[in-house]
Amino acid sequence: MKIEKVNIQKAAQTALVQEAQSAHFYTQQGKARYSDTVKTGANKGKECAVNLRHARSENLYPSITHIHGCLSERALRFYRESHLLAAARHLDILPDESEVDYYHRVNIEARKDSLDAAARGTSVHKSLENILQGGEWDRGDPQLVKAADWLEANIEKTIWMEKTLVNHTLRLAGRCDALVVFKETSAHFTELGSEPVILDFKTRRFKEQKAGWVGASYLKDKRQVAFYASCLTQEARVANLRLNTTPEAPEDLPPHLAIYSREEQFAALVSVGHLSAVWRHENGYQPKEIDVPPDEKERMAPVLERMVA
């Protein structure tokens, strides 16, 4: 029997497909479904990532962050492609290595920078949680000291932290960092008032501009917090708290608060609705047996109306 040799194009495609199929999903009750156990075959008993096959079987919702994979961001694409090229240039395929495994190894090498940034982001997130909850954090980190000072000066009350939120109308779920109330003495109180505020933490590469060091702004950040607010039974404003990850920047840069207007928040939520529909169409997957609560139907009616306008 002739065994067909996997060519480079097919190997690359297989590696990319395997990566794309691993995603963050949630049950419709808001339980995270990140991993599973292989039930049959040679890998029985081993842990595997939850993918679209699991989603179809269990009627899962994708995460708000995952559906952004449908979009192509030029700056991000150039960053990834340049790192892939550099990794491929410096890595040779090993004698007994399959081409699929080689491409996985190149992918890992190319993403070391982003993985380091992600690790720093996870560490900063945990530190901010501990600061708000009175836990332990690294008081020798100048940036965290600045963040702690900022939180002390601005946040009156933390209503909750790290909560999974679900929107059945949009067939999406996600985990939000915090819901807070700002102090009357805060410089942002005039704009935000006493309403609850969805506050999502972002580690970003700051760039030096005429006005000083500024964190990168992405539309996906705005969509994410707008989505979180849509899951609440009460009205809430939305904002991102950005912290620097650029090594060349001053290590004690204070965090930057990006507040989005009500108009921006609504427009971003409408775009989330369109993006969710595109993701479902691209993947040929429509979650079933959905029971939308009456209060959510009322909240989401203006969004659905704008989507078809």
Side-chain angles (χ1 to χ4, degrees), residues 192 196-199 222 225-226 229 236-240 258-261 265:
L192 293 172
V197 178
I198 288 285
L199 191 63
K222 192 185 303 185
V225 289
R237 297 295 300 277
V238 297
N240 285 125
I259 302 172
Y260 305 115
S261 68
Q265 182 175 337

Side-chain angles (χ1 to χ4, degrees), residues 6 14 22 29 35 41 81 94 100 127 147 159 178 183 200 211 217 221 228 239 259 261 269 274 285 299 301 308:
V6 178
T14 301
S22 297
Q29 292 72 42
S35 63
E81 288 175 351
L94 301 176
V100 171
S127 296
I159 300 174
K183 290 182 176 180
D200 207 50
S217 174
D221 295 346
Y228 293 145
I259 302 172
S261 68
L269 185 58
H274 288 299
Y285 171 53
R299 292 198 313 273
V308 298

Side-chain angles (χ1 to χ4, degrees), residues 204-216 242 244-256:
R204 290 286 180 258
R205 293 183 182 274
F206 280 38
K207 293 183 178 180
E208 189 172 19
Q209 300 180 2
K210 290 183 179 179
W213 289 86
V214 179
R242 301 172 184 152
N244 169 62
T245 58
T246 304
E248 297 78 19
E251 61 179 6
D252 60 346
L253 278 179
H256 172 253

Side-chain angles (χ1 to χ4, degrees), residues 3-16 93 97-103:
I3 300 177
E4 181 183 359
K5 178 177 170 56
V6 178
N7 61 35
I8 290 177
Q9 288 78 13
K10 286 185 179 179
Q13 184 180 29
T14 301
L16 290 172
I93 190 167
E97 185 177 33
S98 72
E99 287 172 321
V100 171
D101 287 341
Y102 169 68
Y103 278 100

Side-chain angles (χ1 to χ4, degrees), residues 182-206:
F182 275 68
K183 290 182 176 180
E184 291 186 10
T185 54
S186 168
H188 306 288
F189 187 82
T190 302
E191 185 173 359
L192 293 172
S194 57
E195 277 190 276
V197 178
I198 288 285
L199 191 63
D200 207 50
F201 309 134
K202 296 296 181 187
T203 47
R204 290 286 180 258
R205 293 183 182 274
F206 280 38

Side-chain angles (χ1 to χ4, degrees), residues 44-300:
K44 183 178 179 180
K46 292 184 179 180
E47 188 178 29
C48 65
V50 168
N51 55 34
L52 196 56
R53 176 177 56 81
H54 295 85
R56 289 194 175 98
S57 173
E58 302 174 33
N59 226 14
L60 305 176
Y61 288 163
S63 72
I64 176 63
T65 53
H66 174 62
I67 64 170
H68 277 87
C70 287
L71 300 178
S72 176
E73 300 177 61
R74 285 186 296 176
L76 181 59
R77 186 173 68 248
F78 176 79
Y79 168 84
R80 287 178 175 172
E81 288 175 351
S82 62
H83 279 70
L84 277 170
L85 287 170
R89 181 182 178 187
H90 290 97
L91 293 178
D92 295 324
I93 190 167
L94 301 176
D96 297 324
E97 185 177 33
S98 72
E99 287 172 321
V100 171
D101 287 341
Y102 169 68
Y103 278 100
H104 278 305
R105 192 159 56 88
V106 168
N107 254 319
I108 293 171
E109 179 67 25
R111 296 186 180 187
K112 279 186 176 178
D113 182 64
S114 58
L115 289 173
D116 288 343
R120 171 62 176 168
T122 300
S123 174
V124 168
H125 270 68
K126 185 62 179 176
S127 296
L128 293 178
E129 290 175 33
N130 288 342
I131 290 170
L132 283 171
Q133 295 175 330
E136 293 296 321
W137 54 281
D138 184 4
R139 298 174 185 273
D141 186 323
Q143 189 179 52
L144 291 180
V145 171
K146 284 287 186 179
D149 291 344
W150 188 95
L151 292 169
E152 172 63 28
N154 289 277
I155 304 304
E156 175 68 31
K157 180 173 66 172
T158 302
I159 300 174
W160 49 252
M161 296 196 69
E162 287 295 320
K163 187 173 184 178
T164 299
L165 301 172
V166 179
N167 186 309
H168 299 282
T169 305
L170 299 178
R171 277 69 163 168
L172 293 174
R175 194 162 181 82
C176 179
D177 289 334
L179 183 67
V180 302
V181 175
F182 275 68
K183 290 182 176 180
E184 291 186 10
T185 54
S186 168
H188 306 288
F189 187 82
T190 302
E191 185 173 359
L192 293 172
S194 57
E195 277 190 276
V197 178
I198 288 285
L199 191 63
D200 207 50
F201 309 134
K202 296 296 181 187
T203 47
R204 290 286 180 258
R205 293 183 182 274
F206 280 38
K207 293 183 178 180
E208 189 172 19
Q209 300 180 2
K210 290 183 179 179
W213 289 86
V214 179
S217 174
Y218 299 106
L219 286 173
K220 62 182 179 181
D221 295 346
K222 192 185 303 185
R223 295 189 192 101
Q224 194 174 346
V225 289
F227 164 74
Y228 293 145
S230 77
C231 303
L232 304 181
T233 56
Q234 61 192 128
E235 287 195 14
R237 297 295 300 277
V238 297
N240 285 125
L241 188 64
R242 301 172 184 152
L243 287 91
N244 169 62
T245 58
T246 304
E248 297 78 19
E251 61 179 6
D252 60 346
L253 278 179
H256 172 253
L257 184 70
I259 302 172
Y260 305 115
S261 68
R262 297 181 191 276
E263 292 75 16
E264 288 178 299
Q265 182 175 337
F266 182 76
L269 185 58
V270 172
S271 73
V272 170
H274 288 299
L275 184 56
S276 179
V278 168
W279 183 90
R280 295 195 302 273
H281 185 262
E282 285 284 323
N283 290 280
Y285 171 53
Q286 294 289 342
K288 302 174 183 178
E289 302 172 7
I290 296 168
D291 184 18
V292 181
D295 62 318
E296 183 183 305
K297 288 182 179 179
E298 184 178 350
R299 292 198 313 273
M300 294 300 295

